[in-house]
Amino acid sequence: MADLTVDVVVIGGGATGAGVARDVAMRGLSVALVDRADLAQGTTARYHGLLHSGGRYVVSDPESARECAEENRIVTRIHANAVEQTGGLFVVTPDDSEEYADGFLAAAASAQVPAEEITVAQALAREPRLNPGIKRAFAVLDGTVDGWAMVRGAAESARAYGAHILPYHEVTAIHRDGDRVVGVTVRDVKAGADKRITCRFVMNAAGPWAGRVAALAGCEDVDVVPGRGIMIAMNHRLVNTVINRCIKPADGDILVPVHTVAIIGTTDVKAADPDKLPIPRAEVQQMLDAGEALVPGFRRARAVHAWAGARPLVKDTRVSASDTRHMSRGMSVLDHASRDGLAGMLTITGGKLTTYRLMAERIVDIMCEQMGEDRPCRTADEPVPAAEGAPTYTVTHRLADREKDRRDDQIICECELMSKSMFLDLLEEDPSATLDDLRRRLRLGMGPCQGGFCSTRAAGLMCAAGARSSVQATDELRGFLKHRWIGLWPILAGGQLRQAALDEWIARGTLDIDHAPGQTDPIEPYPVGTEIDERDRARARAVIGGQEVPA
Amino acid sequence: MRDVIVVGGGLAGLVAALRLRRAGLHTTLVHMGRGGLQLGQGTIDVLGYRPSLVAHPLTELGEFCALEERRGGPTHPYNLLGVEPVRVGVGFLRELVGEAMAGDIETNVLLPTALGGLRPTTLYPASMAAGTVSLDPSDPGALHDGSRVVVVGIEQLKDFSCQLVAQNLATIELPGGGRLETRSASVSFPGRGTEADSNAVAIARALDRPERRRDFVAALGRLARRGETIAVPNVLGLTDETFTAIADGLGRPVFEIPLPPPGVAGMRLTDRLTDLARAYRVEMILGSRVIGAETGLGRIRSLRLGTAGHETDLEARYVLLAPGGFESGAIELDSYGRLHEPALGLPLAVPDAELLNDSWAGEQPIFRTGVATDCTMRVVEPATGEPVHENLYAAGGFLAGAQRWDEKSGEGIALASAVRAADSIIEQLKES
Ligand SMILES: Cc1cc2nc3c(=O)[nH]c(=O)nc-3n(C[C@H](O)[C@H](O)[C@H](O)COP(=O)(O)OP(=O)(O)OC[C@H]3O[C@@H](n4cnc5c(N)ncnc54)[C@H](O)[C@@H]3O)c2cc1C
Ligand SMILES: Cc1cc2nc3c(=O)[nH]c(=O)nc-3n(C[C@H](O)[C@H](O)[C@H](O)COP(=O)(O)OP(=O)(O)OC[C@H]3O[C@@H](n4cnc5c(N)ncnc54)[C@H](O)[C@@H]3O)c2cc1C
């Protein structure tokens, strides 16, 4: 018996999957979007935050550049609340040759990417911390985009068109009836139960995990190689404009101001497993040097957090080559009908977050063609509900909000100006949300103290609101701090190490968190990979299965 | 000429300066800002975990040190000091502050935390006495099986969830067996005007005022039921007198639970020690950072202070450094992964292990980094054990070898090493 019947199941709640689900729903088909964890917690939570102007690709890949320029305008319109129009600069540092810069404007013009050269003095007036030795500067229309808000926006829009949005539903089996896909089994991770969804079509948008998902349908050898990149957030906006190094795309060549921080990135190193993405010290050093080249004194600023994401590189000789007109640059589509003789399933990976909407449009076109449906794409036509009538994002908006309500509301997270009612309202909407889920939406614990002060308050509120027992809330707090540690220890130095010592004094010294009720080393309630978490995963399964927890 | 310059205004610096001054030495205390004492909870932790719970800190110190010996790496301060200086150091603090601190150096107690756990400590402010759980079978303690506690939160104070504390406390099996009976309640008490968001200091300051205090006592009186002990967050006044007035007004047991920084109880202790230092005419130079030293013939001749735009050289016969650890910026790791002691560039004792690792629940060896000393607390080269300067001593969180927050040993180490260092200097000066 099916628990749910839909036309289409979309696997993966990252940018790609959310875009596909919205597109399918807006074309009038019924759809379920499932992710093994929260929405936008995979690659889409581990990227650089740049809404490309196209400038990065004008020389290496003009077609990609043109797509970015076009989609930048659309995403800014339909996701205004998630986009900050920072603008961008391409600068030639004293270490760079001017050869690349010489061809930049002409290449931008032919790719239809707006760009103009400004004087070094103008660039320095705009960004006073920039390396004063820069030789040339070009202004472009780069922006920044909050991937969490964008995906949430797309998912809410899809929901408004009838989509079922199912985070924490892991696909454990894909069912086929002969050479057709007929449905999937998902594990409701939080409830600990299996559900069956019947469908006519499956869209595999599982990013770097897409190969594993395809294997569930019996499509073997979908070889997806994760290309790992690290990023480091510095404790404040060293720049207010996206700064690109005007060279052939390379490691560590972009500095992106996002919310309250500035993010330097990134690298590209083959990884064995998307669930195990280390943040090696050598790469941290490389990024800090790269930052120093753009902004002198960068190393003396404070690195607050680091993360690693994986680009899925599909190494498959059988990638459908016939349909390139349907493709967006950098994206790969596997048509399992032609590849494996299995109808009703497409795999889509790669591309950029900036072009997520276009990728979705292209692949849903293919799907409709295969389903024999003639339904045009409408995703560029209207903004998502959260962006309706909204201005684009500005970093100071929370300050303005708190100025208004500071007499009546408490500030729970001072670094990110998150109020008590913001937290309680979301918790009421979804009482099963973890502190980490709430963080992705509220930026709780993302500032310099990395949760040292606010997370204890937040755990207290979860208990006071009745969403958790006191013991659960205490474990939730431990889990949150443990998670933050993953992105902290590789970059701890200077002021942030000093902060970490203070945080340790609070958590272990004053609060003696290791001996408070609950588990000393908390199990991850909803683990999704990594070496450390494999142990937790086994323990969590045991708990969910009602067995005794091994010590 | 000045006998000693003490650097650091935390527990170690203040106590060392008082010890030196009481021996009649001309003492100058220099600090950049008040120390960690006022960020902490105002208790004196001697040794709480080794890593099992410690009931008798002095008797169990030997076993702790034996384990530390086996660990290797920088020597733990307690291994250098031994038991006696701990007894002397804690005893000296008692002598200084009198009845403000309760407890027994021989036996730890457990105190409720703001997470609703029970945490070991040795001495505690009088305002926490009604919340103690005994670790000594012959002493029933203030709270025991069946004790009824109402945990009262303050709506305007976000650092204390009375529900979390009350519920968690009730789940704990007490060391002597049985459980507490708890419930939670809250009162509205803005620190200023009708503000929704008050920190502990603002509320404490309000409670120092008699008319606000009356309102608060009345509200608590209405809430509490017969036979209940009242637990409140650590906000009962910036002076010790406020607690006495509230306890008298309530006429029933009441105690405070420590909060994350700023710690009101820690502020009270800092104030008390600072007032004493003034009374004993310790010369105080505040808001100054030590940025270097002039040395010669194996001694420090003077310290260089950077004070608001100009530099001063301060001469002394002896220097006692108590500037704290990583948390106060006294030890630094730069972005290249190099450890420094920024004030004087002293050599550091560094654990021979991966300094930081991926285990949140496990230990981070980096925090054992610090300066090495001999057993008189004179700073030595970690490699050779030779004195770095004949007249340079160190105490407190600056010392290598401890994981203070895990061991719950911060104040014990600070007191023992500060008094030991001060006494070494006193002896040296007597001899010369
Ligand atoms: C280092 C780096 C930097 C980048 N920077 C930028 C940038 O600045 N600008 C830009 O535009 N793009 C950038 N990108 C690209 C961008 O991040 C990606 O294009 C985008 O996030 C991909 O999203 P996705 O939905 O395809 O994958 P993901 O976000 O990884 O989504 C896949 C989802 O599938 C889920 N899943 C896996 N297995 C299962 C299962 N069995 N059942 C259910 N769900 C499952 C996962 O939990 C995951 O949420 C960057 C990428 C990287 C790696
Ligand atoms: C645009 C942007 C801006 C940011 N700004 C800030 C900021 O200002 N401050 C800040 O502190 N952080 C910032 N971050 C980083 C962010 O807080 C997280 O560190 C990042 O999203 C990783 O998430 P995490 O901490 O939950 O994951 P991690 O701590 O890396 O891992 C947590 C969990 O995810 C699992 N996991 C590990 N790798 C993967 C993977 N590849 N896919 C799926 N699951 C995985 C692990 O099993 C673990 O259970 C920013 C991120 C982005 C994309």
Side-chain angles (χ1 to χ4, degrees):
Chain A
M1 262 305 287
D3 297 288
L4 184 65
T5 301
V6 289
D7 293 318
V8 183
V9 169
V10 181
I11 304 173
T16 310
V20 170
R22 174 171 184 254
D23 197 323
V24 171
M26 288 180 84
R27 293 190 204 215
L29 294 166
S30 63
V31 57
L33 174 66
V34 298
D35 197 289
R36 62 177 187 164
D38 196 14
L39 295 181
Q41 57 65 49
T43 318
T44 304
R46 295 172 171 81
Y47 80 120
H48 204 162
L50 172 60
L51 184 65
H52 284 281
S53 61
R56 181 77 289 173
Y57 306 108
V58 291
V59 175
S60 61
D61 186 352
E63 177 56 19
S64 188
R66 200 194 49 72
E67 284 180 1
C68 282
E70 172 78 21
E71 288 301 309
N72 179 309
R73 282 189 288 275
I74 296 173
V75 170
T76 303
R77 191 169 70 234
I78 67 175
H79 290 289
N81 62 312
V83 173
E84 182 178 351
Q85 292 174 292
T86 57
L89 292 175
F90 277 76
V91 299
V92 182
T93 77
D95 302 338
D96 307 328
S97 105
E98 287 183 53
E99 202 186 315
Y100 186 84
D102 287 338
F104 187 78
L105 281 184
S110 76
Q112 295 164 34
V113 171
E116 61 166 336
E117 179 151 14
I118 60 174
T119 65
V120 168
Q122 283 170 321
L124 292 173
R126 184 163 162 189
E127 289 300 342
R129 282 202 181 84
L130 259 185
N131 188 337
I134 58 168
K135 296 186 272 192
R136 296 174 72 177
F138 304 90
V140 293
L141 297 179
D142 287 334
T144 71
V145 52
D146 181 317
W148 297 294
M150 188 190 87
V151 166
R152 179 98 19 209
E156 284 306 323
S157 166
R159 198 200 303 272
Y161 282 93
H164 301 266
I165 308 295
L166 303 171
Y168 291 102
H169 281 68
E170 178 178 5
V171 174
T172 54
I174 297 177
H175 305 292
R176 44 197 293 178
D177 181 2
D179 58 3
R180 282 214 65 80
V181 166
V182 293
V184 301
T185 296
V186 289
R187 181 156 186 82
D188 179 340
V189 184
K190 288 191 178 179
D194 285 340
K195 290 179 192 163
R196 176 105 186 212
I197 307 177
T198 303
C199 63
R200 294 158 63 196
F201 217 99
V202 163
M203 297 289 245
N204 172 12
W209 299 270
R212 295 187 197 165
V213 167
L216 294 176
C219 303
E220 297 300 335
D221 313 324
V222 176
D223 192 8
V224 183
V225 180
R228 178 180 56 76
I230 71 156
M231 285 134 290
I232 304 175
M234 309 304 286
N235 78 332
H236 63 119
R237 285 169 69 121
L238 297 168
V239 291
N240 283 303
T241 307
V242 174
I243 307 296
N244 304 262
R245 206 158 158 174
C246 194
I247 48 174
K248 210 164 122 259
D251 283 356
D253 55 0
I254 315 183
L255 180 59
V256 185
V258 185
H259 293 289
T260 53
V261 300
I263 304 170
I264 186 79
T266 173
T267 51
D268 193 352
V269 180
K270 280 197 181 63
D273 180 345
D275 283 330
K276 293 173 189 162
L277 299 177
I279 303 173
R281 293 212 193 257
E283 285 176 42
V284 170
Q285 290 300 322
Q286 192 192 349
M287 288 304 101
L288 295 177
D289 283 338
E292 195 71 37
L294 294 173
V295 173
F298 193 86
R299 278 180 171 274
R300 287 196 304 276
R302 183 163 149 179
V304 289
H305 205 87
W307 57 95
R311 307 165 187 84
L313 179 66
V314 178
K315 294 179 75 180
D316 195 312
T317 43
R318 287 173 287 173
V319 169
S320 145
S322 59
D323 242 342
T324 43
R325 75 196 151 87
H326 276 321
M327 305 272 275
S328 164
R329 292 304 290 246
M331 109 190 202
S332 349
V333 168
L334 297 184
D335 176 1
H336 295 287
S338 57
R339 183 185 183 277
D340 306 286
L342 176 65
M345 181 159 114
L346 292 169
T347 290
I348 175 173
T349 58
K352 292 177 249 316
L353 187 127
T354 305
T355 53
Y356 94 100
R357 192 211 61 85
L358 181 66
M359 286 163 58
E361 174 175 344
R362 300 257 160 94
I363 191 150
V364 178
D365 281 348
I366 302 175
M367 182 194 84
C368 283
E369 217 172 273
Q370 294 192 359
M371 289 171 93
E373 302 271 0
D374 180 16
R375 297 164 185 261
C377 173
R378 304 202 298 108
T379 49
D381 300 349
E382 57 183 67
V384 303
E388 252 169 65
T392 51
Y393 175 90
T394 53
V395 70
T396 49
H397 82 108
R398 281 196 175 174
L399 188 59
D401 293 348
R402 294 297 80 75
E403 280 299 325
K404 276 181 234 138
D405 62 22
R406 77 195 161 90
R407 302 228 124 258
D408 323 303
D409 206 348
Q410 286 178 341
I411 298 180
I412 299 302
C413 172
E414 276 97 355
C415 302
E416 297 292 340
L417 295 176
M418 184 205 77
S419 71
K420 179 173 171 181
S421 51
M422 286 164 74
F423 182 84
L424 288 178
D425 288 351
L426 268 190
L427 187 64
E428 192 181 347
E429 228 174 77
D430 179 7
S432 79
T434 65
L435 278 182
D436 226 38
D437 295 345
L438 294 166
R439 170 180 74 79
R440 279 184 279 272
R441 298 177 64 180
L442 296 167
R443 296 188 59 77
L444 163 80
M446 303 257 268
C449 97
Q450 291 286 302
F453 286 83
C454 58
S455 57
T456 312
R457 297 171 185 155
L461 286 175
M462 286 186 130
C463 175
R468 296 287 189 288
S469 73
S470 61
V471 174
Q472 288 168 334
T474 311
D475 279 341
E476 183 96 33
L477 170 63
R478 293 187 177 103
F480 183 79
L481 293 173
K482 182 177 170 182
H483 252 191
R484 295 268 76 194
W485 188 250
I486 297 173
L488 261 173
W489 72 270
I491 48 89
L492 278 183
Q496 197 59 35
L497 181 64
R498 186 173 175 179
Q499 177 76 52
L502 176 64
D503 289 348
E504 291 282 276
W505 270 121
I506 297 174
R508 302 191 202 276
T510 301
L511 298 173
D512 197 8
I513 190 168
D514 296 324
H515 302 92
Q519 320 234 356
T520 303
D521 188 2
I523 55 165
E524 293 270 335
Y526 315 113
V528 278
T530 84
E531 245 156 322
I532 317 168
D533 293 340
E534 250 151 44
R535 191 184 59 222
D536 290 342
R537 202 170 162 82
R539 285 162 71 192
R541 287 242 161 88
V543 174
I544 288 167
Q547 300 156 23
E548 207 166 301
V549 190
Chain B
M1 169 144 109
R2 174 180 294 108
D3 294 313
V4 192
I5 302 172
V6 178
V7 178
L11 185 62
L14 284 165
V15 165
L18 281 160
R19 183 86 173 177
L20 292 161
R21 194 65 203 109
R22 295 237 308 205
L25 304 186
H26 179 176
T27 309
T28 301
L29 182 73
V30 177
H31 70 69
M32 269 168 16
R34 293 172 136 214
L37 185 55
Q38 60 163 2
L39 300 181
Q41 50 178 18
T43 59
I44 303 299
D45 299 346
V46 172
L47 183 67
Y49 295 104
R50 62 175 177 87
S52 58
L53 179 65
V54 170
H56 303 287
L58 296 187
T59 8
E60 293 176 54
L61 202 64
E63 278 159 81
F64 171 79
C65 289
L67 253 181
E68 283 299 306
E69 182 84 52
R70 259 173 279 147
R71 182 179 44 76
T75 309
H76 194 284
Y78 280 155
N79 287 50
L80 288 169
L81 289 159
V83 173
E84 213 33 46
V86 181
R87 197 191 302 278
V88 175
V90 175
F92 181 60
L93 178 80
R94 283 223 115 134
E95 213 179 304
L96 291 171
V97 302
E99 307 227 309
M101 298 300 284
D104 169 10
I105 173 86
E106 300 292 340
T107 316
N108 280 343
V109 297
L110 298 176
L111 282 173
T113 71
L115 280 183
L118 290 175
R119 176 192 189 284
T121 193
T122 309
L123 303 190
Y124 42 89
S127 63
M128 296 178 191
T132 54
V133 170
S134 172
L135 285 170
D136 176 358
S138 69
D139 171 6
L143 298 180
H144 39 76
D145 184 24
S147 292
R148 288 160 56 208
V149 181
V150 56
V151 182
V152 182
I154 295 172
E155 282 161 25
Q156 287 78 6
L157 179 71
K158 57 199 174 193
D159 286 310
F160 187 80
S161 163
C162 55
Q163 295 91 341
L164 181 85
V165 173
Q167 286 178 33
N168 263 350
L169 273 180
T171 67
I172 299 175
E173 159 107 39
L174 300 174
R179 279 168 216 276
L180 303 175
E181 274 179 43
T182 66
R183 68 180 179 99
S184 61
S186 65
V187 296
S188 171
F189 192 81
R192 285 161 299 217
T194 56
E195 66 187 10
D197 197 344
S198 302
N199 70 20
V201 178
I203 294 174
R205 197 168 280 134
L207 286 173
D208 283 337
R209 292 169 42 204
E211 67 286 3
R212 298 285 322 266
R213 193 155 68 217
R214 263 195 301 277
D215 292 347
F216 187 72
V217 168
L220 288 191
R222 280 193 297 273
L223 278 176
R225 297 177 194 150
R226 237 216 189 124
E228 273 180 345
T229 295
I230 303 176
V232 291
N234 174 210
V235 296
L236 301 186
L238 293 176
T239 68
D240 293 323
E241 293 70 40
T242 300
F243 173 75
T244 315
I246 289 173
D248 288 351
L250 281 167
R252 63 163 79 230
V254 56
F255 71 91
E256 296 183 296
I257 296 180
L259 298 176
V264 167
M267 289 172 81
R268 285 180 210 139
L269 187 55
T270 310
D271 284 348
R272 204 168 250 272
L273 292 172
T274 309
D275 290 349
L276 274 175
R278 280 215 187 81
Y280 279 105
R281 285 178 294 111
V282 172
E283 182 190 11
M284 310 251 241
I285 303 180
L286 311 183
S288 298
R289 178 194 288 269
V290 174
I291 54 174
E294 201 199 313
T295 59
L297 299 173
R299 297 180 74 84
I300 291 191
R301 292 168 189 279
S302 63
L303 288 185
R304 175 152 302 172
L305 310 189
T307 317
H310 68 281
E311 295 176 1
T312 335
D313 288 317
L314 212 60
E315 288 182 33
R317 292 197 169 85
Y318 285 85
V319 172
L320 198 170
L321 295 178
F326 286 95
E327 59 280 11
S328 59
I331 303 169
E332 287 177 355
L333 179 74
D334 71 16
S335 74
Y336 293 97
R338 294 175 305 211
L339 285 155
H340 305 270
E341 188 281 299
L344 304 182
L346 295 174
L348 292 171
V350 182
D352 183 20
E354 185 88 41
L355 291 178
L356 288 157
N357 59 60
D358 64 1
S359 165
W360 175 77
E363 163 174 336
Q364 302 300 326
I366 193 168
F367 295 118
R368 289 190 194 266
T369 304
V371 297
T373 67
D374 61 20
C375 59
T376 69
M377 299 292 108
R378 184 156 49 181
V379 178
V380 300
E381 279 285 349
T384 62
E386 291 300 313
V388 177
H389 300 289
E390 287 298 321
N391 59 343
L392 179 65
Y393 290 77
F398 198 42
L399 301 176
Q403 277 283 353
R404 295 171 175 75
W405 45 74
D406 288 338
E407 299 159 8
K408 311 287 180 288
S409 61
E411 289 88 11
I413 292 172
L415 290 171
S417 60
V419 168
R420 185 75 194 87
D423 288 353
S424 303
I425 293 173
I426 294 165
E427 273 161 44
Q428 295 269 324
L429 277 167
K430 248 192 238 151
E431 276 167 27
S432 64

